[in-house]
Amino acid sequence: MDSNSENDFLEEDYYSVLNLPKSASPEEITYAYRRLSKIYHPDKHVDENKKKEAEILFNKTQKAYEVLKDPHQRAIYDCVGVKGLKTEGWEIVHRTKTPQEIREEYEALARDREERMLRLRTNARGVFIAKIDATDIFEPNQYLDFDNEDDSYIYIPTIEVSSMSMSMSTEAPITLRDTIVLSGNLSSRSGSVSSSYKRLLSTNGWVKYDVTAGNGLHVGAKIFKMITKTIFGTVEGSLNDLSSGTLKPIGRVLLGTSLGARTTGYISLGGRLTSIKHTSLSTEVEHNTERSYCMCKLEIGLAPAISVLYTWKFIEQDLLLRIYARAGVLNSKLEYGVEKKVSKLNTFAATVQIDVINGVTLKIKFVRASQTYIFPILLSHDIITPPIFYATFVPIVSWFVAKNVILDPIMKDYKNREINKQREINKKRMAELRQEALSAINLMMATMERIVREETEKRGLIIIFAKYGNAELINQSVQSFDNSDTLQPNIIDVTVPLQCLVKDSQLILHSTTKCQLPGFYDPCIGEDKVLIVEYTHRDQNYEVKINDNEALRIPRPHSQLIRTSTPPS
């Protein structure tokens, strides 16, 4: 299973502590700090217990203010969080440095660390391909006598692996600019070994040389160069089949240019340098957005063709739908398929290929981190309806069965284990945060009562109740809190903290997690959380519910009326 232990530990969110957006101005930072200081400053309290509680919360607020008010520390914090402020090698004492210089200094330190680790790193990749011939299912052996009256036997289709191949590659960085890649390919019919050397150029480009031995010798070179800010090009050439005694020089030139913010155009000319008829010209336009990708390509040469690819991206579901069509003089094909990211490291894809020459093929692909497993299953040599139907619907049905019977229970169990792991790691920290929330609410009572009196006089914004915590439990709950139980398991009462954030009959929360707002804490670490607020404004009663990282501004122009037109007495 995937693991991301570096995110197991809770980290302070200074913007949430002060209830500020990341774009807050210095004046807004100072105002938020002074407002909280009126509540938390130890001198504001006479009782010794309250004074101790206030001191802890005041120090926390002051720490957030000191980081955010200083442009140097704020630049570091915005780039890499709290850990950046603790990075060894920072020269924070140089107050003459600008935020940009701070970022550059951090990047330099990061590059130094990376350079020290270069010899310890490799980027190993592997691809396993097994071609399966299953045509006997839909095209039974033509030599079998199906008219024979003897039905004492049962025909079992033959499914065989027609070929297999494996390839591995290892990337070995020599310096920050130089990289060597060693790779090998072994199939049931042949094998090859290759090596490439790539060097980054200082002039916005790179050059790559590669040599492959096996089934002849291949020697090639490729150069990439940014010509202008919007135009780039590549030139590549190779010599093939040297072992056969004949040279086949092949070259290709490609020019690309930006046609818009998300649109790129290409024109390419390439082929055998010794034969014009084996030279082809192609032009291609691609448009890539967050939700879709489209590519159109026209090839002119010995085998003219036109092809179109369109991809729908469903980001929330980690799902891609693709359709590809190619019409050419020598061959035409249609492909459609789906790709689903089942976890951080695992991806599953299924594609149906309908080819005029090769027939119907179902391609199954599974990617685990840097390892790829591909299984092309040839279903029929001819284009007929049954294999197309089964190739389309069997993977869909199989996926839903596997998801509900196998994957969902496994992922649910894994998620629960990760949540328990985070809770165990942060057990002490969570107890501290819970106590801080209780202390903050205790210190806020006088301020809350004052704000309620002021808002009541002007028929302003009064928070009746507010719940924060487990999304599923809050969605099921329809009753307000019992005042005798301020903090409940998985759900907490945040009525007092939200009322204290009301200013001029408005409540504004920003698009950050709410668990570090004053008076809040995370009652269900690792689980989905929501905030539900019932309030009165202008003698009308409203309710609003938002997800944890959603922004909130109330009163809203079109808030939903949920109770009576007058607030309860």
Side-chain angles (χ1 to χ4, degrees), residues 81-92:
V82 175
K83 61 181 179 292
L85 300 171
K86 302 176 182 178
T87 300
E88 183 181 355
W90 282 115
E91 298 179 7
I92 302 297

Side-chain angles (χ1 to χ4, degrees), residues 479-499:
Q479 298 180 351
S480 61
F481 282 97
D482 182 353
N483 292 331
S484 63
D485 187 11
T486 306
L487 296 177
Q488 302 180 3
N490 297 326
I491 301 176
I492 58 176
D493 182 356
V494 290
T495 306
V496 173
L498 286 187
Q499 187 68 68

Side-chain angles (χ1 to χ4, degrees), residues 130-180:
K131 293 184 178 180
I132 301 172
D133 189 340
T135 56
D136 206 28
I137 297 175
F138 300 100
E139 300 174 353
N141 194 317
Q142 58 181 334
Y143 298 106
L144 290 175
D145 185 7
F146 290 98
D147 295 330
N148 194 324
E149 295 181 359
D150 182 10
D151 57 355
S152 61
Y153 66 87
I154 299 175
Y155 175 69
I156 300 177
T158 301
I159 299 176
E160 60 182 16
V161 178
S162 57
S163 66
M164 294 176 60
S165 65
M166 293 179 289
S167 63
M168 293 290 294
S169 66
T170 301
E171 188 174 293
I174 306 303
T175 67
L176 289 176
R177 287 190 176 184
D178 302 278
T179 303
I180 291 178

